[in-house]
Amino acid sequence: MYANFIRDNAVADPEVIFPAVSLVTSGGHTELYLMKNPQTLTWLGGTLDDAAGEAFDKTARLLGFGGGGGGAIQAAAQRTGTRNIPKRAVLPRPLLRDDSLNFSFSGLKTAVMKNWGKTRHTEKNAEALAYEIQEAITDVLCTKTIRAALRYGAGSILVSGGVAANSRLRDKFTKACRGHFRLHVPPVRYCTDNAVTIAACAYFRNHPQPWKSVVARPDLSVEIAD
């Protein structure tokens, strides 16, 4: 299914410069792909444990924000600011300095749990941690994607999936790509719209065939060759 998210960007703006690097980030996936063209994908790296959206969801519940997930973390983070972040709230950026293009967010969740366990459970402290959670996750996503784009000589960067709705992530990519890469991020309303992404996939792979000729492949890879 997440192959469809990648194609959403290419349809939304046809002026993608190839090769392009695509970040697919949601509650179930955090993956990087190299797109040589809209039909050809190569997997570059992904999460070794939790997805970015999953980290948002779990830490939001831990801080008492309920099931609001990334939206709740973003809202809480916007109510505070960098000047209000105590040193004890600073969180690790998992695998940020690792040369691979993989991600890991389970350790971040553990760090939040330990930090919250040693902190007074006040609204102000919860908001400070929410701010730092958002900074940590978006720092890693943006840095790793830019690293991949530089490594593979990409002309464009595509960001999609539910986490792409995060305003802080969008801001960081906008600044990091300016003057270097063409950035493509779908409108927020499309970030979690599976129907749009499926239609986008069909747009590029329009090869109608009788349903009886379709062969199920449970081992099918997201990597698609010409």
Side-chain angles (χ1 to χ4, degrees):
M1 180 62 72
Y2 51 87
N4 299 319
F5 283 97
I6 298 170
R7 285 165 177 74
D8 177 59
N9 295 282
V11 173
D13 188 341
E15 300 302 320
V16 175
I17 300 174
F18 294 102
V21 164
S22 179
L23 170 68
V24 182
T25 177
S26 65
H29 302 284
T30 301
E31 315 281 345
L32 280 170
Y33 295 93
L34 178 66
M35 297 181 70
K36 295 181 180 179
N37 56 58
Q39 290 82 22
T40 307
L41 312 177
T42 302
W43 185 84
L44 301 178
T47 183
L48 302 177
D49 38 63
D50 290 351
E54 187 178 3
F56 272 123
D57 293 341
K58 289 180 177 178
T59 54
R61 288 194 295 270
L62 184 64
L63 296 180
F65 296 136
I73 293 291
Q74 176 177 288
Q78 289 173 342
R79 293 194 294 270
T80 186
T82 54
R83 294 180 182 177
N84 299 323
I85 304 302
K87 289 184 178 180
R88 67 175 183 276
V90 176
L91 297 170
R93 272 58 171 167
L95 296 185
L96 186 65
R97 297 182 180 180
D98 183 82
D99 194 49
S100 78
L101 297 176
N102 291 322
F103 302 88
S104 174
F105 293 106
S106 64
L108 179 64
K109 177 194 65 179
T110 302
V112 172
M113 187 182 303
K114 290 181 178 179
N115 193 308
W116 191 233
K118 299 176 182 178
T119 304
R120 289 180 57 202
H121 290 190
T122 65
E123 183 177 355
K124 181 178 179 180
N125 286 337
E127 290 173 353
L129 262 179
Y131 179 91
E132 185 61 11
I133 289 166
Q134 180 172 257
E135 288 300 297
I137 293 174
T138 55
D139 277 351
V140 173
L141 292 176
C142 187
T143 300
K144 289 273 188 173
T145 305
I146 296 296
R147 183 178 300 163
L150 290 170
R151 185 174 299 177
Y152 289 93
S156 297
I157 287 178
L158 289 69
V159 185
S160 58
V163 177
N166 182 274
S167 61
R168 184 63 173 148
L169 181 65
R170 297 165 84 96
D171 288 344
K172 287 184 179 180
F173 268 113
T174 298
K175 292 177 182 178
C177 290
R178 188 174 293 129
H180 303 285
F181 308 101
R182 182 169 290 179
L183 177 64
H184 301 266
V185 187
V188 171
R189 66 183 180 277
Y190 291 147
C191 288
T192 56
D193 191 331
N194 288 348
V196 169
T197 59
I198 292 171
C201 180
Y203 175 87
F204 283 115
R205 300 187 64 80
N206 185 21
H207 303 297
Q209 56 183 307
W211 68 268
K212 290 184 179 180
S213 66
V214 176
V215 178
R217 286 185 54 190
D219 62 337
L220 188 65
S221 170
V222 70
E223 297 182 88
I224 303 172
D226 289 323

